[in-house]
């Protein structure tokens, strides 16, 4: 099935979607990998890359939210909306809303953890960012597992989002994935 152009996302929305997807998956992978490494120059480098990715994700999420608020996304095509059971429509909307919440919550929790731990974020090694909270080891101990929990929640929702897109592409064959595929 080919969807009409009016049911597709804009080029800006697609670019933000795919860029955030790559950054979120990459930041998660680096975060999990470096967490088990002993303290070393490699681990410090990976921690900084993870922080830079987190700040970039946060900035792009702000842009994405502004774009989303000012540019209404295309409605689900009527044929897909009609074929979707009610629980899938609820899951579709809930997943998207939770993704947006976590786009902000995960990097902000990471930034707060870094600040509370007393480790500043120097974006790309040149731009020092302000601390979100004052150094406080007890607060850092509280925030660290929260950041991890939120990150695993985000990656779980990303996996669910990918699984749903693949279901629509290969099982339902309804063309829904074409709404976000560039160059179609």
């Amino acid at each position: 099935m080919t969807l009409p152009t009016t049911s597709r996302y804009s080029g800006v929305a697609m670019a933000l979607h795919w860029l955030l997807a790559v950054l979120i998956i990459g930041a998660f992978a680096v975060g999990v990998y470096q967490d088990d490494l002993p303290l070393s120059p490699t681990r410090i480098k990976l921690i900084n890359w993870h922080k830079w990715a987190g700040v970039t994700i946060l900035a792009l999420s702000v842009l994405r939210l502004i774009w989303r608020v000012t540019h209404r996304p295309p409605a689900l095509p009527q044929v897909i909306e009609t074929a979707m059971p009610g629980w899938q429509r609820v899951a579709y909307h809930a997943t998207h809303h939770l993704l947006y919440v976590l786009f902000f919550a995960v990097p902000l929790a990471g930034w707060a953890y870094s600040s509370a731990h007393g480790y500043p974020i120097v974006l790309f090694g040149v731009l020092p960012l302000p601390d979100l909270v004052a150094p406080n080891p007890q607060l850092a101990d509280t925030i660290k597992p929260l950041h991890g929990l939120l990150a695993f929640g985000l990656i779980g929702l990303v996996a669910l989002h990918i699984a749903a897109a693949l279901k629509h592409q290969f099982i339902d064959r309804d063309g829904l994935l074409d709404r976000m595929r560039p160059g179609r």
Side-chain angles (χ1 to χ4, degrees):
M1 169 187 297
T2 303
L3 297 175
T5 305
T6 56
S7 69
R8 290 173 42 82
Y9 283 86
S10 69
V12 172
M14 286 185 213
L16 289 169
H17 174 273
W18 291 109
L19 186 54
L20 277 167
V22 168
L23 283 169
I24 287 167
I25 292 168
F28 180 80
V30 169
V32 169
Y33 176 71
Q34 66 78 28
D35 201 41
D36 288 332
L37 294 178
L39 189 59
S40 67
T42 298
R43 182 172 185 202
I44 292 169
K45 178 174 65 173
L46 292 174
I47 289 169
N48 282 319
W49 288 356
H50 180 74
K51 289 178 183 183
W52 300 343
V55 171
T56 304
I57 288 165
L58 184 59
L60 289 173
S61 295
V62 169
L63 290 176
R64 184 174 180 166
L65 183 60
I66 291 169
W67 187 263
R68 178 78 183 250
V69 168
T70 60
H71 297 80
R72 185 171 170 83
L76 278 174
Q78 189 60 46
V79 66
I80 295 173
E81 180 96 30
T82 304
M84 228 188 243
W87 70 268
Q88 281 185 7
R89 278 192 300 280
V90 169
Y92 166 80
H93 291 293
T95 299
H96 281 92
H97 287 100
L98 282 171
L99 281 168
Y100 272 90
V101 167
L102 292 173
F103 289 163
F104 291 91
V106 173
L108 286 171
W111 191 347
Y113 165 67
S114 189
S115 297
H117 206 280
Y119 296 131
I121 297 176
V122 182
L123 191 58
F124 306 120
V126 296
L127 179 63
L129 300 180
D131 288 336
L132 287 185
V133 297
N136 180 330
Q138 293 79 22
L139 182 59
D141 290 344
T142 301
I143 296 173
K144 183 177 183 179
L146 175 63
H147 175 61
L149 183 65
L150 292 170
F152 274 95
L154 176 57
I155 209 69
L157 283 176
V158 166
L160 180 64
H161 181 72
I162 291 168
L166 293 174
K167 175 206 173 274
H168 280 280
Q169 183 67 20
F170 297 112
I171 296 173
D172 299 344
R173 299 183 185 273
D174 57 17
L176 189 65
L177 185 63
D178 291 335
R179 292 163 34 104
M180 193 52 82
R181 283 199 338 201
R184 303 267 316 151

